[in-house]
Amino acid sequence: MKFAIIGSGAVGGYFGARLHEAGHTVYFLARGSHLEAIRKNGLQIKSVAGDYKALNVESHETVQTIPSVDVVLVAVKAWQVTEIAPKLKSLAKGSTYFVPLQNGVEAHGILEEVLGKERVLGGLCGLISFIEKPGVIQHAGAEPYVTIGEYHGQSSSRTKALQEAFSPCIGAKANISDDIEKSVWEKFLLISAFSGVGAVTRVPIGIIRSIPETRKLLNDALKEVMQVANARGVNLDQISLKKTWDFYDNLPPKGTASMQRDIMDGKPSELESQTGTIVRYGKESNVPTPINTFIYNSLLPVEKIARREKNLSN
């Protein structure tokens, strides 16, 4: 298959390299020093699942230069989806479809509005990775996966084809969900609470889960997300909560969330798309969210400073 990776950072770059390793044609959209390094030295993956260096890859600075593809994996930050969506129209040809891999619950709707409902699959992913330096991505923990699904709840030829495309990949797999909305919210449950508590405490998961007070803080944040989801008709339950804690308790002790790392590094983050969304949805549904509101209010000043320095809107 032919893939376009929109955003070749820690997430898109990792999955794109694994697809390249499996023999697929992959076009990478990147920018700045990361793009320069990829063009000069290839895209290198350092991973507990096995290292790989993708040489002579097709790298692009703009969407318009990317040839026609079968699948577009949209892996930019959640707050960048609105900006990139109109630019993706040049790839919306033939039977091409788009898969959002963002943290959060709104990327799918944003892409549908611009590209058409029939062109967008539901999607999410999981792994702990970061850009070690331009052109080098470090996979630090968690088994990398992509979960996809049709919002009508049935498997389709394109979900099966995408799962099959991932089947020969080393260190990456694709799952098909028969309830992709719930799957997206379960990921949102996991990542939003982890991100918020991690960012406000500035410590890794091993410390958060080992101290009773911060473990309770994380659990209270999770319960608020569940209540918001339930109010919006998404059935997150005790099984969802247990799965989330099983994941937390099995993460490497030094594991951190990408939003947490961005905030600690003084970079613009997904605060609005994660904690901010919980607070906003809570207000819309008349569900109190005191824990997440405290986290959001505590992190908002540093977020505004980071965006002001990058000349980004709030």
Side-chain angles (χ1 to χ4, degrees), residues 189-209 213-219 221-222 245 248 251 253-265 269 271 274-275 291-292 294-296 298-299 302:
L189 170 72
L190 183 155
I191 196 62
S192 61
F194 179 21
S195 296
V197 174
V200 82
T201 61
R202 300 196 164 222
V203 295
I205 188 63
I207 296 176
I208 293 171
R209 70 192 179 202
E213 290 82 358
T214 49
R215 190 177 182 93
K216 182 180 184 302
L217 179 67
L218 181 54
N219 198 57
L222 288 168
W245 270 111
Y248 290 157
L251 280 175
K254 293 184 179 180
T256 55
S258 60
M259 186 186 101
Q260 173 184 0
R261 294 193 297 272
D262 285 343
I263 287 175
M264 291 174 66
D265 290 341
S269 77
L271 179 63
Q274 294 192 43
T275 313
I291 300 298
N292 283 284
F294 167 77
I295 292 172
Y296 176 76
S298 299
L299 298 174
V302 293

Side-chain angles (χ1 to χ4, degrees), residues 182 186 189-190 215 218-219 222-223 226 235-251:
K182 181 175 181 178
E186 285 186 330
L189 170 72
L190 183 155
R215 190 177 182 93
L218 181 54
N219 198 57
L222 288 168
K223 288 180 178 179
M226 291 175 62
N235 182 30
L236 299 189
D237 50 24
Q238 291 301 311
I239 295 175
S240 303
L241 184 63
K242 183 180 184 304
K243 284 166 57 178
T244 300
W245 270 111
D246 287 345
F247 181 85
Y248 290 157
D249 285 332
N250 285 285
L251 280 175

Side-chain angles (χ1 to χ4, degrees), residues 105-106 188 228 271-282:
V105 292
E106 298 180 308
F188 185 55
V228 169
L271 179 63
E272 291 293 342
S273 303
Q274 294 192 43
T275 313
T277 296
I278 300 165
V279 174
R280 176 162 44 88
Y281 280 9

Side-chain angles (χ1 to χ4, degrees), residues 126-148:
L127 79 164
I128 296 178
S129 61
F130 57 90
I131 297 178
E132 182 179 281
K133 62 181 182 179
V136 180
I137 294 171
Q138 175 74 58
H139 165 222
E143 183 180 1
Y145 70 89
V146 169
T147 297
I148 53 175

Side-chain angles (χ1 to χ4, degrees), residues 52-107:
Y52 176 65
K53 190 169 187 178
L55 298 172
N56 302 315
V57 298
E58 285 269 6
S59 55
H60 295 258
E61 192 170 11
T62 64
V63 176
Q64 287 70 26
T65 62
I66 298 176
S68 297
V69 296
D70 302 300
V71 184
V72 180
L73 299 182
V74 183
V76 296
K77 294 287 188 178
W79 55 271
Q80 297 172 316
V81 175
T82 299
E83 177 188 350
I84 197 70
K87 300 175 183 177
L88 298 178
K89 289 181 179 180
S90 63
L91 292 173
K93 302 173 182 176
S95 59
T96 299
Y97 58 93
F98 300 76
V99 183
L101 299 180
Q102 283 68 34
N103 297 320
V105 292
E106 298 180 308

